[in-house]
Amino acid sequence: MADNIPGDLKYTREHEWARVQGTSVVVGVTQHAQESLGDVVYVELPKVGSTVTEGKQFGVIESTKAVSELYSPLTGKVVKVNDGLSDNPSTVNTDPYGAGWIVEIEPSDPKQVDGLLDAAAYTALLQNS
Amino acid sequence: MARQTPLNAAHRKLGARMVDFAGWDMPVQYSSVIGEHEAVRTGVGLFDVSHMGEVEFSGPGALDTVNALISNDLARVADGQAVYAGLLDERGTFVDDVVAYRFSPERILICVNSSNREKDVAWMKTHAKGVAPVDRSDDYAQIAVQGPKATGLVQRLTKTDLSKIGTYRFAEGEVAGVKCLISRTGYTGEDGFELYSAAGDAVALWDALLTEGQQDGVKPCGLGARDSLRTEMKYALYGNDIDDQHTALEAGLGWIVKLDKAAFIGKEALVAQKAAGVKRKLVGFELTGSGIPRHGYAILKDGAPVGEVTSGTMGPTVKKAIGIGYVPTELSAEGSTFDVDIRGRAVPAVVVKTPFHKKP
């Protein structure tokens, strides 16, 4: 299956995506990430109000076989988490860019988003990996 | 370079995701672990388990030779029967866990774990008194056909009457025109067969099972589903739940240890341990808090480490976070509670009756 990489999102080298939404940024994992993970069975989310740091772990995503770390694309405050994932973690597989979103972060500096990869750069990263 | 089974190209053609497993290039999944798991619980799945090793003891005295090496008793079963057994060391801990097939008192075939094959063969060569073991692993392929629809599928491809082959019994016959050892055994908790064929016949047998199995919705299944299926049954995996650090009695496998038979390696240690009392036991537990227990996580009681998780997953059929682990005997009774250290969080767990999955 071809990798689905929406042009309006930003990306990290750890296969997270970021979507600017007003003053905050919604974060999830990419189609490529969910395919590599396999069936997602558990997502450990940060607490609303907690602080996350760019490049640092903020959560965990588990498939039947493996435990993978989630890294924050930005520094800021968690304003929302996707509570629906506790009952339906497989949403990360079925709709990674939509209902399978993971957290919403209010960045300490909105310009941070500009430092992330755009779709072309992320596509190139996948092709060269 | 990882070793390949005769079915390697077939797996790649089916789009399997391949991983290195104990030095073997093996399929971990074809489509989805959960989908493959469910196929085996409700229909039928095919597993390539050709990486398993086979060691043959052939000649007068073969049965006595093997019986002195394994913990179960081949003298107690008939020709055409198999036993699950420990290949134990002098401390009563595991060199490996094996299935021994009794063709006759003069011919025994032992199926061993791929990760232990070389170690096992060396161990058996050193300790066998009488008949010498022969490593036949490269001659055999092995395909497991597992699930409630497995018997129907295999029966359509063989003249051998499968209703005559009970659990842990086997026959020699032909499946899809391929000479096979047809063994009613498995590692999933479902009915089914393990088909041992010549390595060169494996592709023909695999293809025939996939084609004939279409009407049953057969799915090729990888190591991922194999692991989640066996975990729901609390079947031990060597290197996880059993090893050379825990005895057969601690592992709860006293039923494959026949202390009343003639001498076998590990017997004295286990007789002594049984008399002194077993201090720790392998139990099955469910998390009552959120998370998934994993191999290597610490088991805590009142904040202090008292044991270790040996296997764990989110059980696709039982739909619970389940685990297997060693705990002090006083925490091993059903209903006992402790915590599992999941990334610094103490997550509560309770000991439950196993297998986790009970047939409806």
Side-chain angles (χ1 to χ4, degrees):
Chain A
M1 191 153 97
D3 285 308
N4 171 13
I5 303 171
D8 59 333
L9 303 183
K10 294 285 196 170
Y11 298 90
T12 71
R13 295 180 175 279
E14 284 78 34
H15 309 286
E16 284 96 14
W17 56 260
R19 175 188 289 125
V20 178
Q21 200 166 287
T23 57
S24 61
V25 178
V26 182
V27 174
V29 300
T30 66
Q31 168 76 12
H32 173 83
Q34 72 79 12
E35 263 188 37
S36 316
L37 288 163
D39 299 313
V40 173
V41 292
Y42 182 71
V43 184
E44 192 170 281
L45 299 163
K47 287 200 168 61
V48 171
S50 64
T51 304
V52 294
T53 307
E54 182 195 341
K56 292 282 188 328
Q57 189 186 336
F58 74 83
V60 163
I61 191 161
E62 301 196 31
S63 66
T64 39
K65 284 294 282 179
V67 180
S68 306
E69 288 161 346
L70 289 165
Y71 298 97
S72 181
L74 308 160
T75 298
K77 200 172 82 177
V78 176
V79 291
K80 265 190 207 168
V81 298
N82 187 352
D83 290 321
L85 296 181
S86 59
D87 285 336
N88 293 300
S90 62
T91 314
V92 173
N93 295 116
T94 53
D95 192 6
Y97 298 114
W101 67 280
I102 294 171
V103 293
E104 194 173 320
I105 298 168
E106 197 169 82
S108 53
D109 174 4
K111 289 205 189 84
Q112 285 178 84
V113 178
D114 301 336
L116 299 174
L117 304 174
D118 62 15
Y122 182 62
T123 306
L125 178 87
L126 289 188
Q127 280 163 356
N128 296 327
S129 66
Chain B
M1 181 70 186
R3 290 193 216 182
Q4 298 185 350
T5 76
L7 293 167
N8 193 274
H11 301 318
R12 291 177 178 280
K13 206 168 73 188
L14 287 164
R17 181 177 304 164
M18 307 296 286
V19 294
D20 182 90
F21 176 80
W24 289 79
D25 185 45
M26 296 298 289
V28 65
Q29 67 174 63
Y30 298 81
S31 46
S32 117
V33 172
I34 293 175
E36 292 162 25
H37 179 111
E38 287 304 325
V40 173
R41 287 274 181 258
T42 59
V44 55
L46 291 189
F47 299 81
D48 175 18
V49 284
S50 302
H51 57 312
M52 305 287 282
E54 292 83 11
V55 184
E56 189 171 317
F57 290 77
S58 199
L63 190 148
D64 289 340
T65 301
V66 174
N67 242 3
L69 293 172
I70 65 171
S71 63
N72 210 329
D73 191 357
L74 278 169
R76 223 172 276 201
V77 299
D79 294 349
Q81 271 186 271
V83 297
Y84 177 54
L87 181 67
L88 306 178
D89 59 22
E90 293 83 352
R91 297 175 303 162
T93 67
F94 287 86
V95 178
D96 201 357
D97 62 328
V98 303
V99 175
Y101 292 89
R102 175 175 159 164
F103 289 80
S104 75
E106 281 76 49
R107 187 178 169 219
I108 311 289
L109 188 72
I110 300 186
C111 178
V112 305
N113 279 299
S114 58
S115 54
N116 291 331
R117 171 180 157 191
E118 278 77 16
K119 178 185 74 172
D120 290 357
V121 171
W123 174 269
M124 290 190 264
K125 279 186 174 157
T126 306
H127 294 89
K129 295 195 176 84
V131 175
V134 178
D135 184 358
R136 298 279 315 277
S137 306
D138 293 335
D139 302 336
Y140 282 102
Q142 193 189 146
I143 297 170
V145 191
Q146 300 280 299
K149 293 184 178 172
T151 301
L153 166 57
V154 177
Q155 188 64 77
R156 295 200 301 275
L157 292 169
T158 183
K159 291 193 181 98
T160 302
D161 183 356
L162 299 181
S163 70
K164 300 246 159 64
I165 307 176
T167 304
Y168 265 78
R169 284 167 174 77
F170 65 97
E172 290 172 281
E174 282 190 7
V175 178
V178 169
K179 271 181 75 173
C180 285
L181 190 170
I182 305 169
S183 169
R184 198 163 206 144
T185 48
Y187 195 47
T188 62
E190 299 302 325
D191 185 26
F193 292 87
E194 292 175 310
L195 306 175
Y196 295 71
S197 73
D201 291 338
V203 172
L205 181 58
W206 177 264
D207 287 345
L209 287 161
L210 272 184
T211 304
E212 180 62 33
Q214 274 177 9
Q215 58 180 282
D216 307 299
V218 69
K219 276 195 184 177
C221 301
L223 295 176
R226 186 168 161 81
D227 193 55
S228 57
L229 287 158
R230 71 93 194 164
T231 301
E232 284 188 335
M233 295 306 294
K234 195 175 169 259
Y235 291 159
L237 171 64
Y238 192 92
N240 275 40
D241 315 294
I242 53 175
D243 53 25
D244 59 5
Q245 302 298 317
H246 298 88
T247 72
L249 298 181
E250 290 168 342
L253 292 172
W255 64 276
I256 62 166
V257 177
K258 306 299 184 204
L259 291 177
D260 55 347
K261 75 166 185 173
F264 64 92
I265 301 172
K267 180 178 174 179
E268 285 171 30
L270 294 177
V271 166
Q273 186 177 46
K274 196 172 180 186
V278 178
K279 301 276 192 298
R280 56 184 177 183
K281 284 187 179 166
L282 190 67
V283 297
F285 61 86
E286 287 174 10
L287 290 192
T288 47
S290 73
I292 300 176
R294 301 283 185 181
H295 176 73
Y297 288 3
I299 290 174
L300 313 172
K301 187 67 183 176
D302 303 324
V306 294
E308 201 177 17
V309 177
T310 56
S311 290
T313 192
M314 181 65 78
T317 305
V318 301
K319 303 207 184 328
K320 284 176 184 162
I322 54 172
I324 304 170
Y326 285 99
V327 296
T329 300
E330 57 268 27
L331 290 177
S332 65
E334 201 185 322
S336 303
T337 57
F338 47 74
D339 298 316
V340 176
D341 182 347
I342 301 183
R343 297 178 286 276
R345 272 192 311 134
V347 180
V350 59
V351 176
V352 297
K353 209 177 256 175
T354 52
F356 300 100
H357 170 65
K358 283 115 191 153
K359 282 192 195 177

